[in-house]
Amino acid sequence: MSTREYEDELRSEQSYVAGLYSRLDAERARVKGQYSATLRSDIDAENGSSLVERDAGVRALAREITRLDVADHGLCFGRLDSLSGETSYIGRIGLFDESNEYEPLLLDWRAPAARPFYVATAAHPENMRRRRQFHSRGREVIEFTDEILGRPDGDEQGDGVDRVDAALLAAVNAPRGGGMRDIVATIQAEQDRIIRLDHSGVLVIEGGPGTGKTVVALHRVAYLLYMQRERVEHHGVLVIGPNPAFLHHIDRVLPSLGESNVVFMTTGDLLPGLQVTAEDAPDVARFKGSLQILGVLAAAIADRQRLPDDPLSIDLADVTVRIDAETAQWGIEEARASGLPHNEARAVFRDIVTYVLTERAIGRIGRGWLTRTDRDAWERVRADLVEELAENERFTAALDDLWPILAPEPFLAQLYTSPERLRAAGADAALWRADGGAWTVSDIPLLDELFDLLGVDPTVELAAERQRKTETEAEAAYAAGVLDLMVGREDHMDDDDHLFATDLLHAEDLAERFVERDTRELAERAAADRGWTYRHVVVDEAQELSQMDWRVLMRRCPSRSFTVVGDLAQRRSAAGATSWDEMLAPYVPGRWVYRSLSVNYRTPAEIMAVAAAVLAEFAPGVTPPESVRASGVQPWSRRVTDGELDPAIEEFVRDEDAREGTSIVIGPPDVPGAVAASETKGLEFDAVLVVDPDRILADGPRGAAELYVALTRATQRLGVLHRDPLPQVLTRLSEVDEHAGAET
């Protein structure tokens, strides 16, 4: 194509894209007008509309406005020309020509017809002749690149790995900002196959650093919301990440794709209102994370269902009865056999004990005048005794002693602070701690389990029900008063067929108008509700989750629809996964599939060569991902003295502040300004300085994995400062003389 032809084509494409933006602006104006009109609309009781319906409409329109707003950035990023001569433009959302039978003007990137844009190769053109990619600035197309498909000398592998296009290179070489960006314009073939995978169960995506597994998982969520919106949207999606910094890093991706019904959490956030303030030792975390802890919890609960040391006397009006060990044992056996949670099974225990005590009391009270043959009299006496027992404070205290109502947090805190209770439950003595309520992230699944094992407090439920009933009655009474005022007015029409307010409304209907509505967005409501269930769950850095963590997440998603993202080679947690099947088979046997990503889009080849040597040291069977590019910048190391360390770090920070992009210092806790490698998982920075790698390696059995994580955060530049001799695994680094600035 000549320069003149290219310029003519560029003007033509700019004109088409300008038309798409005009269409977008018109659609946005229409939706905003509808939104304003809906807000101003009155509620008409006669035709059945309601505040709830109007609120739902307002929310739907607000979501549509957001979707149209985010589409403004990079609305159209490519074009496909088919062998049959048809042309399709690909973009963030779909736009249609209403005047021409809704002819598609722009295909949503998730639409099946857009798939060839991501997967077509020279060897497998998918019936396409050409793929065109746009490079835009704002609303202006400033250039494009063409790829002619179907050439015999093209990519014979058909896997798209060799197709490193200009748009991809521009994206991976660009300076990093404050968060992860979407890759909707540069999705590669191996990524697209995972995003669009038709699997309703658990999908495991494994890949080394920089393979894009996180962003692929998020784009898969956007794809599922597009293809299965009715099924997924109303219950929302949960995204689990390793730490708040990571969640902040990724939380813009889905909104940039127009999706908002997503909740972002760490495993420590899964119980609303609970604060994690402490950290377990590795051996304690390992034990708490294993399924062995289930036996401990069950035994600890059973230990609170006790027999009296001596018979407990209950003084009634006409007789004294006693709860002995035999009676309590029968009650305990029946209550446990019911299969109900502990607090709900208390009713069974109470009924058995009540039955025994009333039988004994009737036998004494009715001696000489009452027999079982007089069933009516017998049952009348029993009913009086049951009522008397229910109101007897000593009987209630005995029940509380033998079968107490238990709540998860105080129950677990009391277990941790009592060596006797830990022994009775068969728990490891290492679980003891002085502050039982100093919760760790490993306690969250235990507390969540206890919510199910203990069940609700029936007294709290009863009080809540009474409160709801009182409020409803008060609202109805108020509404009735309003109706009386309306009917009692003296300025009625004289027509005999005049309709009064009561002809249209009842007090209960009017009371509904005064009920406080929950106006929170779905994501906010879901995050605040421990019992909320999601239609899909994404778990990132999933290798760190314990067996108990998985039990919590499976409860949150009864449909077992998961996208699991991780890298077993980067596992740090002592309770984490060593095998995906070990973690998933108990919940989804035969319903989970595995896909891997092999191309590193983040880490330049020069840096990956250094990290690969560390990987080979602690995971020799794992193949490192292949970098898609080289930067031409060699990673370096420098040996410094104690006194030189702080100035060297300050120099790095000062130099990087003068550049565009992001940087970070990673090192042990006592290094000034440094963060731990575990806190940078999933994050990326233009420049990384690793301090004292030998101390990172020495930090327990997972030290090498920590160093591997630290080395693979950089997208452009990597430096290492060390005070002791450089570890053998880092000999690929170019040593720099700190005085002469020359490599040695």
Side-chain angles (χ1 to χ4, degrees):
M1 184 183 300
S2 68
T3 301
R4 183 181 181 85
E5 290 172 328
Y6 178 87
E7 290 175 349
D8 289 344
E9 278 284 291
L10 183 60
R11 280 191 292 271
S12 175
E13 298 293 24
Q14 174 58 41
S15 176
Y16 189 87
V17 171
L20 293 176
Y21 274 108
S22 295
R23 178 78 58 171
L24 176 68
D25 291 340
E27 179 65 9
R28 184 159 42 207
R30 183 190 68 80
V31 176
K32 285 184 177 179
Q34 190 176 351
Y35 175 83
S36 298
T38 304
L39 279 178
R40 292 193 303 268
S41 64
D42 294 327
I43 302 303
D44 185 353
E46 188 170 3
N47 65 22
S49 63
S50 68
L51 280 169
V52 175
E53 291 168 346
R54 186 180 70 175
D55 288 348
V58 167
R59 290 183 183 182
L61 290 167
R63 287 194 296 270
E64 181 65 7
I65 291 171
T66 300
R67 187 181 77 92
L68 295 172
D69 284 343
V70 298
D72 214 328
H73 175 69
L75 173 63
C76 177
F77 47 78
R79 163 181 153 179
L80 281 172
D81 297 345
S82 71
L83 292 174
S84 61
E86 296 176 347
T87 296
S88 301
Y89 286 84
I90 315 299
R92 289 182 173 273
I93 64 171
L95 292 174
F96 303 90
D97 184 356
E98 297 89 341
S99 64
N100 187 21
E101 297 182 346
Y102 283 86
E103 179 73 17
L105 301 174
L106 182 67
L107 286 176
D108 190 300
W109 67 274
R110 296 166 288 191
R115 184 174 179 271
F117 184 78
Y118 300 108
V119 301
T121 65
H124 300 282
E126 302 282 332
N127 294 318
M128 295 296 152
R129 179 177 63 84
R130 177 173 61 184
R131 171 176 33 234
R132 174 169 290 178
Q133 293 176 297
F134 299 146
H135 180 202
S136 300
R137 183 181 296 122
R139 292 188 167 199
E140 181 184 2
V141 179
I142 59 176
E143 64 180 1
F144 65 80
T145 57
D146 281 346
E147 182 180 3
I148 305 302
L149 303 171
R151 288 178 172 174
D153 59 345
D155 171 19
E156 294 302 326
Q157 299 300 317
D159 59 7
V161 172
D162 293 332
R163 182 177 65 81
V164 184
D165 54 58
L168 174 62
L169 285 177
V172 297
N173 283 317
R176 266 42 184 181
M180 181 178 284
R181 297 166 293 194
D182 66 66
I183 58 169
V184 63
T186 59
I187 294 170
Q188 301 299 290
E190 71 165 358
Q191 297 172 328
D192 187 81
R193 282 192 286 269
I194 294 174
I195 290 170
R196 299 175 192 266
L197 183 66
D198 183 15
H199 180 68
S200 60
V202 176
L203 166 63
V204 175
I205 307 173
E206 185 163 29
T211 53
K213 52 189 179 292
T214 296
V215 75
V216 166
L218 296 175
H219 281 68
R220 176 168 171 78
V221 169
Y223 175 76
L224 292 174
L225 284 165
Y226 176 82
M227 299 297 291
Q228 307 171 25
R229 189 163 298 279
E230 286 298 318
R231 188 182 76 85
V232 177
E233 187 175 50
H234 294 306
H235 282 258
V237 174
L238 173 64
V239 176
I240 294 292
N243 54 60
F246 173 83
L247 294 178
H248 179 68
H249 180 64
I250 69 172
D251 64 7
R252 304 179 197 174
V253 175
L254 284 166
S256 76
L257 298 173
E259 305 298 349
S260 59
N261 286 341
V262 181
V263 177
F264 294 88
M265 288 185 178
T266 68
T267 54
D269 301 324
L270 286 167
L271 287 181
L274 194 77
Q275 296 296 317
V276 171
T277 60
E279 185 175 354
D280 282 319
D283 59 330
V284 174
R286 184 185 298 108
F287 183 73
K288 286 183 180 180
S290 72
L291 298 183
Q292 292 176 277
I293 199 69
L294 293 174
V296 171
L297 295 179
I301 294 172
D303 183 53
R304 303 296 291 272
Q305 302 159 357
R306 57 179 295 273
L307 304 177
D309 296 327
D310 298 302
L312 302 175
S313 297
I314 312 295
D315 294 327
L316 301 178
D318 299 318
V319 68
T320 295
V321 292
R322 292 176 176 81
I323 304 176
D324 54 26
E326 183 181 7
T327 300
Q329 182 64 43
W330 183 21
I332 289 173
E333 290 174 357
E334 291 294 327
R336 290 175 179 173
S338 71
L340 294 170
H342 168 86
N343 290 335
E344 296 163 42
R346 172 181 160 118
V348 178
F349 177 80
R350 180 198 62 215
D351 290 346
I352 293 296
V353 173
T354 298
Y355 172 78
V356 172
L357 296 187
T358 54
E359 282 289 301
R360 291 174 180 171
I362 294 171
R364 296 173 188 171
I365 295 171
R367 184 175 296 134
W369 66 272
L370 181 61
T371 66
R372 287 183 180 275
T373 56
D374 189 352
R375 293 185 58 84
D376 290 342
W378 189 282
E379 291 303 324
R380 282 196 301 273
V381 175
R382 181 194 297 281
D384 291 340
L385 288 169
V386 168
E387 184 176 352
E388 188 177 357
L389 276 174
E391 297 174 353
N392 187 288
E393 293 182 0
R394 184 72 181 90
F395 180 65
T396 300
L399 291 179
D400 290 341
D401 183 46
L402 302 177
W403 195 288
I405 295 292
L406 301 174
E409 292 179 43
F411 170 79
L412 192 58
Q414 291 163 12
L415 177 64
Y416 287 151
T417 57
S418 171
E420 295 78 14
R421 284 179 174 157
L422 287 171
R423 281 195 299 272
D428 192 314
L431 292 185
W432 180 89
R433 66 190 187 208
D435 185 354
W439 303 117
T440 70
V441 71
S442 301
D443 290 325
I444 301 300
L446 277 61
L447 290 166
D448 196 72
E449 194 79 31
L450 286 169
F451 272 100
D452 286 352
L453 293 175
L454 297 178
V456 299
D457 181 345
T459 60
V460 172
E461 281 289 294
L462 182 60
E465 179 59 33
R466 287 173 177 167
Q467 179 66 20
R468 286 192 292 269
K469 184 178 180 182
T470 300
E471 290 173 354
T472 300
E473 291 172 349
E475 289 159 1
Y478 175 75
V482 173
L483 284 175
D484 288 342
L485 288 173
M486 294 169 66
V487 173
R489 288 180 55 185
E490 297 180 355
D491 57 346
H492 297 316
M493 296 172 59
D494 294 330
D495 302 79
D496 292 337
D497 59 352
H498 175 73
L499 287 176
F500 288 95
T502 48
D503 294 320
L504 296 176
L505 296 171
H506 294 290
E508 291 82 359
D509 299 326
L510 188 59
E512 284 294 306
R513 302 293 186 88
F514 302 99
V515 175
E516 183 178 351
R517 306 295 179 184
D518 190 341
T519 59
R520 295 174 298 172
E521 292 295 332
L522 180 143
E524 188 179 358
R525 287 184 284 126
D529 184 355
R530 182 254 167 191
W532 192 278
T533 58
Y534 299 85
R535 279 290 184 265
H536 191 76
V537 176
V538 176
V539 186
D540 210 324
E541 298 294 342
Q543 73 277 357
E544 306 297 344
L545 269 63
S546 69
Q547 292 174 311
M548 289 298 294
D549 289 327
W550 281 110
R551 286 178 65 87
V552 179
L553 294 178
M554 291 295 169
R555 279 194 285 271
R556 299 297 191 276
C557 187
S559 64
R560 304 292 195 262
S561 179
F562 282 76
T563 298
V564 176
V565 181
D567 180 10
L568 294 178
Q570 295 186 57
R571 178 178 67 88
R572 179 180 185 272
S573 170
T578 57
S579 157
W580 298 120
D581 188 65
E582 176 188 4
M583 289 296 184
L584 298 174
Y587 309 105
V588 284
R591 281 193 58 214
W592 71 276
V593 297
Y594 176 89
R595 295 292 185 272
S596 62
L597 291 167
S598 58
V599 180
N600 188 331
Y601 301 98
R602 175 206 300 148
T603 317
E606 296 89 344
I607 296 176
M608 198 61 216
V610 176
V614 177
L615 179 67
E617 182 74 15
F618 74 95
V622 178
T623 302
E626 181 180 355
S627 295
V628 77
R629 67 191 171 102
S631 67
V633 179
Q634 290 297 323
W636 55 268
S637 66
R638 177 185 299 171
R639 188 169 185 177
V640 295
T641 64
D642 289 345
E644 294 168 332
L645 178 63
D646 289 359
I649 293 174
E650 292 169 2
E651 179 186 0
F652 167 82
V653 173
R654 187 169 55 253
D655 289 347
E656 290 302 329
D657 283 346
R659 299 175 184 260
E660 185 181 4
T662 59
S663 63
I664 195 170
V665 178
I666 301 175
D670 59 349
V671 172
V675 301
S678 59
E679 294 300 311
T680 67
K681 279 197 167 186
L683 307 182
E684 56 184 30
F685 306 88
D686 291 273
V688 171
L689 181 68
V690 178
V691 181
D692 287 344
D694 54 306
R695 293 176 60 198
I696 297 176
L697 281 171
D699 184 20
R702 303 305 301 175
E706 290 278 270
L707 182 58
Y708 181 59
V709 169
L711 295 172
T712 53
R713 298 307 95 195
T715 66
Q716 303 290 344
R717 300 173 295 281
L718 172 67
V720 173
L721 294 177
H722 59 104
R723 287 176 282 186
D724 292 323
L726 198 66
Q728 184 66 28
V729 293
L730 296 180
T731 54
R732 285 178 174 266
L733 289 167
S734 299
E735 188 75 15
V736 176
D737 188 302
E738 66 271 26
H739 302 292
E743 295 182 3
T744 59

